[in-house]
Amino acid sequence: MSSIVIGNNTLDRISHLPPNIIEQILMRLPLRDAIRTSILSHDWRYAWSSIPHLAFSWQEFPLSICNYSQVNFDRKLVDIIHQVLLLHQGPIHRFELSIQLRSSKDIDGWLLFLSRNDIREIILHRWEGEVYKLPSCLLSCKGLRSLSLHRCMFRPVHFQGFPRLASLFLRSVAISQDGLEALITACPLLNKLCLIDMFDFGGLKVCSPSLVNLTFVGEHIDLSFENVPLLATLSVSLTVKSDKYYAAPGVICKLFRILYHLPSIKKIVLGGQAFKVWTYGELPIQLPCTYQLKHFHATVNFKDMQEMFAIVSLCRSCPLLVTLELEARFVMPANHETPVEKFWNSQQSFDCLFSQLKILEITGVSCILELPFLKFVLANAPVLETAYIGFDYRLKTELDITREMIKFRRLSPAAEIKILKRKFRNASSMWA
Amino acid sequence: MLIDADVVCGIGAIREGREGSFVISLVEGTLLLSSVTIFSPATDATNLVVGCFLTLSDGLSAYLIHADDLAPPPCHQTPWTTALLVQRPTPAAPSTGSTPRRPSSLSAGNASTTSARCRPVLLSSVRMRRSLPPLAAMGPPPLSFSTKSGRRHLFQREYGCRQGNLASRDYLVAALESFYGQCTSVPAPFWTCSWEFGTLEISGACFCIPMSENEKAIIKPEAMKPFIWLQCADGSIQQVEEEVVMFCPMIYREILQTGMGSSQNSAICLPDRVNPAILSLIFEYCRFHQVLGRSNKERKSFDEKFIRMDTKKLCELTSAADSLQLKPLVDLTSRALARMIEGKTPEEIRETFHLPDDLTEEEKLEPLKNVNDDPRIRLLNRLYAKKRKELKERQKLKDIEAEEEKKDERSVDEILSFINGEEDSKGVNAIKSKKKNRKKRDSHKDISGQDSTRLKNKKEANFSPSASQCSDARDNDDDTFPSNGEFEDGDIDDLDPAVKEELDREVEDFARRLNSDWPERMQEFLSLGQNQKLVPNRASSHGSLHETTGPIKLPLLPNSCD
């Protein structure tokens, strides 16, 4: 290779940019390319070693670089990460390890190294291998602001909490119920909490004065809220294995009980069977009036009277509801006729019902049973702007339903009905 | 003198008791009002300046009306083009003695404070926003306003005293006087002003003022905006529109703090990294983005087109934008540079940016072999190996001490393995067998994959701690390395070519060093003891102990040996 070394190289501009700019350029590159710049020239040899974000993700380091041999891949990757960490200078603010690394014995050492280097964000997603037990040095990362774990084991003992932790994402993490509750309570700045597919424990009591955003996906457990004054967004998706729904007689259903404890709630998203489970029970006679709830998304069964009752009660208790999105759960048609139409026709319109509703979305429409609800809303929403209708992908023809829909009377002069494009399969827009 | 200073800034009571701020400057004999803002609680009244009563020096006051007042509100931050210059009457003295300079007009106007008659007088047209020829050539746009009595009056600017002619001003005043009815007086300095579409209602006292020499407005035909003067590092001075310049935080701060930039003499000095060509590019960017009404899509497409330039210019632009602290432009350019680097081979990157290829081959391969180890680098290694082979052929004749070397190495190896411990013995054996290969050249032993990987691990472990020191030391050995004998590439197939190169190089290094200072170094080895890193001295070129190279196998990480 011929070398283009000219004594005072005036052509080379990029190497003389100020170091903060070079760092910005290198941070925008994938890690592999950034490290490769070390062989470009003398000035670039260690330019990459001070970038504060290190991300080893499966896109950049796929298994194919070792011809799909897991053993070689493990060894090679461990070497790479060792070298990168050893050559790195300066603080590391973000470390991501979401890669198909089977062996986990080296991760302890890396986490120890990171805890001494002012780490602020850790993303540890393990796709392969055994569940990784997090070492205690993780608890000593005092500057941690964001933690994201997938398939790990976390046993915080005598833990004072992360003083700066703002975002916590746990997926399939083995942690005891007490440990998790203590962790949530102990982090004073915890803003966003996301729990997905946690290994089962009986219930979870959320008590966090700073929590704003909570997402829970998994099996049905008894979720309760003790002190969440700032919680603004609640997204829950539950799958139910057993048939027991904790239906004690005379107990008000969960949804309304929860509304009492959520003073600042603005958006509720209930997916899976969460709505069904949470509306099982009695509906309160005295409805709570929540003035903050603006957006409500749920997956409901339009043929179930209990759920329909619950929807109406909910809309009555949230006079300022702006967006209502319901996804129809496909249920096998029962033998008996459900008196849906009679039910909706008998519903009177209340004073504040739908008074602020601007957007209505009903997806998964598969038969005309969902229509009476639409008719009810259209007839009672004075400021409705758009009603989106999405059809279930199994529906043979939309024409009959559409023909019925056109006839509905609309209270709001600006209301439009828009038919959503048919997707290949029902993709829930709630979790996008 | 009408105005004492070149720049007068002030907070004035503007329009219906609201407060605002403005800058008046005198540029080349022309009054300029700029940067007028209103602190107003109403959202749509921000920057809507309809009428503005200002106090200048010498008890002079000015009332300014926007020339485009026929346009419906909201007005934007365009500068004022019309100044209605008035004088505040002295409130106490009812007589005209307060203004001896001003003849009849004022006396008539200032008859009494109780029944002050307001005479809006258009005296000078400061600058034309549209490109119009001088006033003498054509009539100005009409200005119409109505008095409180409801009458609407239209008068042409040609009444304005363009040449500072007192006589014509008097004529104007006289003419106006006959037009206007009574206006109710309003206590200065407040004017109440109501805005209606297309009309401006003025109520309050208006006065005539004398036109001084400075008011001889030279109406420039082109679009006039307030300009800021900037001086580059090479001394060239240029002027740029103020609103464009204000987009740069650094210049904006300088203007606010030091007040410079308003004239050629007080031009703002820009940092070194900014040259005029790049400056014009930067201002092109600012000019586009400072307009508020653009959609995100428009801005993005402009950015995409803007960024298409050669790398040299792009780097200069980045550097200049950084020194001017223009963060959006810095982000844009560094993203573009990153896109140019991403996904390319090192050769391509070097070509794009004209980087010097000044790293030695060894440096390129260490320490991050695994990351850099992709097919292209392997190819590179093969090329290097071939090159070395050629050199070796040439120097074959010089290699007369092969026998000696071999014998020495073996004994050294034994001692070293004793010093280093059992773990390395296998590794050293592998080297030994490699050396035998080198000697034989026609047969090769099969080195097991296990050994090779162990070696590899050891090598990487060795290199990492001493990497930074290695680079300096090895630079000097660049010319000596290829001269030694090398393995042929491709003889040993199951080893990584990179590893092979490493082994080769180490062997040569070892051999060479052993040749020079064998007895003394052995003393050092033995005296240094086991815990320290055993560092062989450099060959004759450097004599100190501090330089390190690390081909000696040391058990650094326990798990590197399987």
Side-chain angles (χ1 to χ4, degrees):
Chain A
M1 293 290 287
S2 61
S3 55
I4 323 169
V5 182
I6 308 164
N8 202 356
N9 193 357
T10 53
L11 286 178
D12 171 19
R13 293 294 172 139
I14 192 171
S15 310
H16 301 300
L17 289 175
N20 60 319
I21 303 257
I22 296 197
E23 194 175 294
Q24 278 203 32
I25 296 175
L26 289 174
M27 281 216 292
R28 288 169 213 265
L29 291 173
L31 187 64
R32 214 168 167 191
D33 287 329
I35 298 182
R36 282 215 188 117
T37 62
S38 61
I39 63 168
L40 285 179
S41 81
H42 218 269
D43 297 317
W44 285 86
R45 198 155 157 73
Y46 295 106
W48 67 271
S49 60
S50 55
I51 53 176
H53 293 189
L54 295 177
F56 297 93
S57 64
W58 56 271
Q59 290 109 334
E60 291 174 39
F61 297 90
L63 201 56
S64 51
I65 60 177
C66 283
N67 293 324
Y68 297 97
S69 152
Q70 183 74 43
V71 178
N72 284 347
F73 179 79
D74 273 13
R75 203 180 289 135
K76 189 163 185 160
L77 197 73
V78 166
D79 288 335
I80 293 178
I81 301 183
H82 273 311
Q83 288 186 38
V84 169
L85 290 180
L86 280 171
L87 285 175
H88 190 273
Q89 310 164 12
I92 301 179
H93 288 321
R94 181 174 191 269
F95 184 78
E96 176 178 341
L97 188 68
S98 47
I99 205 165
Q100 287 147 304
L101 184 66
R102 186 160 284 170
S103 67
S104 57
K105 53 182 167 29
D106 304 284
I107 308 185
D108 288 347
W110 299 334
L111 286 176
L112 180 62
F113 178 80
L114 293 171
S115 67
R116 294 176 185 158
N117 273 285
D118 193 22
I119 187 78
R120 294 196 187 159
E121 187 176 335
I122 293 184
I123 300 177
L124 197 56
H125 291 186
R126 312 241 321 124
W127 303 101
E128 302 266 332
E130 75 278 3
V131 170
Y132 168 64
K133 182 169 191 311
L134 288 170
S136 58
C137 59
L138 183 67
L139 306 178
S140 65
C141 300
K142 289 298 167 202
L144 200 61
R145 280 142 170 88
S146 164
L147 181 62
S148 171
L149 302 173
H150 178 38
R151 292 184 72 237
C152 301
M153 195 189 309
F154 195 23
R155 301 247 185 259
V157 176
H158 303 305
F159 184 42
Q160 312 299 323
F162 295 108
R164 300 249 185 110
L165 191 69
S167 159
L168 183 62
F169 176 96
L170 301 176
R171 181 169 176 176
S172 304
V173 172
I175 184 172
S176 70
Q177 178 182 341
D178 295 327
L180 183 57
E181 288 175 10
L183 180 62
I184 296 173
T185 317
C187 298
L189 294 181
L190 189 63
N191 204 311
K192 187 163 178 218
L193 176 63
C194 188
L195 303 169
I196 300 185
D197 288 336
M198 300 296 287
F199 299 148
D200 45 5
F201 32 79
L204 184 66
K205 193 163 64 169
V206 178
C207 169
S208 167
S210 55
L211 194 63
V212 173
N213 201 318
L214 172 64
T215 305
F216 185 89
V217 177
E219 279 200 25
H220 172 49
I221 60 164
D222 186 21
L223 197 62
S224 64
F225 299 94
E226 189 176 295
N227 177 23
V228 278
L230 296 180
L231 190 66
T233 308
L234 176 66
S235 309
V236 175
S237 175
L238 302 174
T239 53
V240 182
K241 289 275 167 69
S242 66
D243 283 331
K244 277 200 311 191
Y245 295 150
Y246 312 116
V251 175
I252 294 181
C253 68
K254 181 103 179 198
L255 184 59
F256 290 97
R257 262 188 292 142
I258 281 182
L259 279 181
Y260 277 121
H261 295 283
L262 303 176
S264 321
I265 192 79
K266 285 204 179 60
K267 179 170 174 179
I268 294 186
V269 179
L270 300 175
Q273 314 224 8
F275 187 76
K276 173 169 184 166
V277 171
W278 279 14
T279 54
Y280 208 83
E282 305 265 337
L283 290 173
I285 308 198
Q286 273 281 31
L287 287 171
C289 211
T290 45
Y291 284 109
Q292 309 86 5
L293 191 65
K294 295 239 160 53
H295 310 273
F296 187 75
H297 305 205
T299 308
V300 300
N301 179 5
F302 280 95
K303 299 181 193 134
D304 186 343
M305 284 301 109
Q306 173 76 356
E307 292 190 30
M308 289 296 104
F309 249 127
I311 284 276
V312 178
S313 311
L314 184 74
C315 295
R316 276 172 57 197
S317 64
C318 308
L320 297 185
L321 199 64
V322 171
T323 311
L324 182 63
E325 277 189 30
L326 301 177
E327 187 184 323
R329 226 172 37 241
F330 183 74
V331 175
M332 294 307 295
N335 289 332
H336 57 273
E337 281 276 328
T338 32
V340 171
E341 214 158 333
K342 225 168 39 173
F343 168 78
W344 286 114
N345 289 340
S346 68
Q347 289 293 319
Q348 325 128 283
S349 72
F350 298 92
D351 254 347
C352 310
L353 193 58
F354 301 134
S355 62
Q356 298 284 325
L357 192 68
K358 287 212 174 72
I359 299 180
L360 169 73
E361 184 173 321
I362 303 181
T363 47
V365 173
S366 59
C367 60
I368 53 172
L369 284 179
E370 280 92 0
L371 290 187
F373 176 70
L374 177 62
K375 185 170 172 186
F376 179 66
V377 176
L378 285 175
N380 289 302
V383 292
L384 188 70
E385 284 172 14
T386 327
Y388 294 97
I389 309 290
F391 289 102
D392 186 81
Y393 70 100
R394 286 169 278 226
L395 192 65
K396 295 267 188 326
T397 162
E398 316 171 348
L399 199 52
D400 296 329
I401 301 187
T402 318
R403 226 182 273 149
E404 288 295 319
M405 260 199 279
I406 299 176
K407 291 195 228 163
F408 293 155
R409 189 176 76 86
R410 299 172 208 185
L411 184 61
S412 157
E416 290 181 357
I417 297 187
K418 290 194 181 150
I419 310 275
L420 293 172
K421 220 156 113 174
R422 256 265 224 143
K423 299 190 179 113
F424 177 59
R425 52 179 184 81
N426 283 347
S428 173
S429 57
M430 291 184 225
W431 304 96
Chain B
M1 285 289 294
L2 184 61
I3 295 177
D4 285 333
D6 279 346
V7 177
V8 172
C9 306
I11 305 258
I14 304 176
R15 193 181 167 211
E16 285 175 4
R18 293 197 187 121
E19 285 214 320
S21 73
F22 51 82
V23 174
I24 290 187
S25 45
L26 188 65
V27 178
E28 289 176 3
T30 331
L31 264 183
L32 264 184
L33 179 72
S34 56
S35 313
V36 186
T37 54
I38 293 221
F39 312 131
S40 162
T43 46
D44 58 351
T46 323
N47 298 333
L48 168 61
V49 187
V50 172
C52 169
F53 192 87
L54 313 162
T55 309
L56 309 174
S57 67
D58 269 350
L60 245 41
S61 329
Y63 188 92
L64 295 108
I65 310 172
H66 201 287
D68 263 2
D69 49 16
L70 294 179
C75 306
H76 30 92
Q77 270 173 315
T78 50
W80 293 74
T81 66
T82 310
L84 188 68
L85 298 173
V86 298
Q87 186 199 15
R88 189 209 303 269
T90 41
S95 68
T96 62
S98 55
T99 52
R101 292 182 283 153
R102 292 147 189 100
S104 56
S105 55
L106 259 186
S107 55
N110 269 354
S112 63
T113 48
T114 49
S115 64
R117 309 179 62 188
C118 67
R119 254 160 224 99
V121 176
L122 175 60
L123 281 186
S124 73
S125 174
V126 181
R127 278 190 185 186
M128 301 294 293
R129 213 156 39 87
R130 293 174 232 82
S131 55
L132 288 176
L135 282 175
M138 81 176 246
L143 178 73
S144 92
F145 50 92
S146 62
T147 60
K148 251 226 157 125
S149 56
R151 266 182 283 182
R152 187 179 297 191
H153 302 279
L154 195 73
F155 70 92
Q156 308 287 324
R157 278 201 204 169
E158 60 198 27
Y159 290 144
C161 303
R162 296 184 289 279
Q163 283 80 29
N165 189 335
L166 277 170
S168 57
R169 191 187 57 231
D170 288 347
Y171 167 71
L172 167 67
V173 172
L176 286 174
E177 272 182 343
S178 63
F179 273 121
Y180 287 97
Q182 296 275 337
C183 304
T184 37
S185 69
V186 178
F190 291 97
W191 293 80
T192 55
C193 208
S194 59
W195 173 265
E196 287 168 54
F197 186 96
T199 63
L200 182 67
E201 192 175 313
I202 301 175
S203 59
C206 307
F207 313 89
C208 304
I209 83 166
M211 183 107 87
S212 71
E213 312 309 305
N214 291 330
E215 289 173 278
K216 292 173 204 169
I218 305 160
I219 311 296
K220 292 188 190 160
E222 27 132 1
M224 286 302 207
K225 297 180 182 177
F227 277 81
I228 302 283
W229 295 87
L230 300 166
Q231 182 175 23
C232 299
D234 60 357
S236 62
I237 302 184
Q238 50 175 301
Q239 55 174 0
V240 191
E241 293 97 322
E242 186 194 355
E243 58 197 12
V244 170
V245 167
M246 290 305 198
F247 199 67
C248 285
M250 195 208 87
I251 305 184
Y252 182 71
R253 261 199 299 270
E254 274 236 24
I255 294 181
L256 282 184
Q257 284 169 4
T258 62
M260 299 210 317
S262 51
S263 72
Q264 196 156 3
N265 299 331
S266 65
I268 294 182
C269 293
L270 295 175
D272 283 343
R273 287 183 260 165
V274 185
N275 59 45
I278 293 294
L279 194 64
S280 61
L281 270 181
I282 291 184
F283 286 134
E284 194 185 310
Y285 179 86
C286 293
R287 201 169 285 129
F288 184 86
H289 280 278
Q290 55 95 19
V291 177
L292 295 169
R294 305 216 194 254
S295 70
N296 282 342
K297 217 169 155 188
E298 284 179 31
R299 289 180 197 263
K300 261 201 186 141
S301 57
F302 172 85
D303 286 346
E304 288 299 311
K305 283 194 219 119
F306 182 73
I307 216 65
R308 282 190 214 146
M309 57 180 82
D310 59 282
T311 60
K312 173 167 174 251
K313 238 183 185 173
L314 199 56
C315 296
E316 286 178 4
L317 185 61
T318 317
S319 176
D322 178 56
S323 62
L324 290 175
Q325 295 165 17
L326 198 56
K327 194 169 182 317
L329 188 55
V330 172
D331 285 342
L332 178 65
T333 44
S334 27
R335 241 183 297 136
L337 287 169
R339 251 180 290 155
M340 283 190 193
I341 298 179
E342 191 174 341
K344 291 211 180 125
T345 64
E347 297 83 33
E348 287 172 13
I349 302 176
R350 273 195 219 109
E351 210 179 292
T352 317
F353 291 103
H354 307 288
L355 296 176
D357 189 3
D358 55 4
L359 286 175
T360 64
E361 295 137 358
E362 302 74 27
E363 285 174 320
K364 282 182 194 148
L365 291 173
E366 58 97 320
L368 289 166
K369 275 194 298 299
N370 284 320
V371 182
N372 292 334
D373 190 13
D374 61 82
R376 298 176 286 226
I377 302 240
R378 285 190 195 188
L379 205 59
L380 209 67
N381 296 339
R382 287 187 204 272
L383 288 174
Y384 292 159
K386 282 202 186 112
K387 180 182 166 192
R388 279 201 209 105
K389 190 167 106 183
E390 289 166 38
L391 289 168
K392 171 190 61 187
E393 304 282 350
R394 267 185 262 138
Q395 303 213 353
K396 218 174 176 178
L397 302 168
K398 300 180 188 173
D399 238 355
I400 46 174
E401 295 174 45
E403 303 288 319
E404 289 286 303
E405 287 173 30
K406 191 169 134 229
K407 185 173 152 207
D408 284 343
E409 282 159 18
R410 244 182 259 143
S411 42
V412 168
D413 286 334
E414 283 165 13
I415 296 175
L416 280 177
S417 64
F418 167 76
I419 293 173
N420 285 337
E422 282 311 300
E423 292 153 288
D424 299 309
S425 55
K426 287 189 199 147
V428 178
N429 281 340
I431 282 205
K432 270 200 247 175
S433 55
K434 274 209 159 259
K435 287 174 197 163
K436 283 180 193 149
N437 269 341
R438 178 170 75 106
K439 258 258 142 148
K440 286 171 192 173
R441 275 207 199 153
D442 42 355
S443 67
H444 60 274
K445 289 215 167 82
D446 229 309
I447 301 186
S448 65
Q450 195 199 13
D451 274 39
S452 70
T453 41
R454 188 186 309 121
L455 274 175
K456 204 159 94 170
N457 288 343
K458 284 212 176 68
K459 280 184 204 305
E460 282 128 33
N462 282 328
F463 277 125
S464 350
S466 55
S468 47
Q469 296 146 318
C470 267
S471 55
D472 301 325
R474 290 203 177 203
D475 273 344
N476 303 318
D477 287 320
D478 192 19
D479 38 359
T480 60
F481 267 41
S483 60
N484 293 318
E486 268 300 279
F487 297 136
E488 298 90 347
D489 191 33
D491 267 356
I492 300 160
D493 284 334
D494 44 356
L495 266 191
D496 233 353
V499 179
K500 274 186 270 181
E501 300 307 318
E502 287 303 320
L503 291 171
D504 301 345
R505 235 179 302 118
E506 285 165 13
V507 164
E508 303 321 312
D509 186 26
F510 214 53
R512 201 181 27 77
R513 268 182 277 110
L514 286 171
N515 280 340
S516 37
D517 269 336
W518 158 236
E520 294 149 21
R521 232 172 308 116
M522 272 329 296
Q523 296 293 329
E524 283 151 23
F525 285 152
L526 294 170
S527 63
L528 275 179
Q530 223 161 341
N531 291 336
Q532 298 175 19
K533 275 201 191 146
L534 294 182
V535 178
N537 262 348
R538 262 295 164 204
S540 43
S541 42
H542 314 274
S544 73
L545 256 179
H546 302 298
E547 277 140 297
T548 63
T549 55
I552 309 244
K553 316 292 178 290
L554 290 174
L556 281 183
L557 293 169
N559 57 356
S560 60
C561 318
D562 295 318

